[in-house]
Amino acid sequence: LTNARKPELPGLIVFRNPNDHGVGRKEARRCGVPTTGIVDSDCEYVDARTYPIPGNDESRAGQRRVTRRIRD
């Protein structure tokens, strides 16, 4: 497969609740893809995110607000 193309990687991965996505965070780090997510004060994985967003990761309204702002 000499002409096989490498899959295009995303420019950013957004985790709505980063504590629940250990495999995704590790894979993003391995591939060099920046990540972001809402980081609560009890978050153990702050160092795993390129762009942490301080906030309440338990609040659905807060999650929607942040993801809409990123989308737009």
Side-chain angles (χ1 to χ4, degrees), residues 1-62:
L1 295 173
T2 57
N3 291 336
R5 292 186 348 179
K6 191 175 184 179
E8 188 173 326
L9 297 174
L12 178 72
I13 297 176
V14 179
F15 294 107
R16 285 178 36 170
N17 188 348
N19 286 332
D20 296 338
H21 300 285
V23 174
R25 287 192 323 270
K26 288 178 186 175
E27 191 71 16
R29 189 177 332 144
R30 185 180 69 78
C31 293
V33 177
T35 60
T36 189
I38 302 172
V39 179
D40 205 343
S41 60
D42 66 348
C43 184
E44 301 171 12
Y45 303 108
V46 174
D47 61 328
R49 263 165 302 298
T50 311
Y51 307 108
I53 301 170
N56 182 359
D57 62 355
E58 301 294 324
S59 166
R60 290 273 190 205

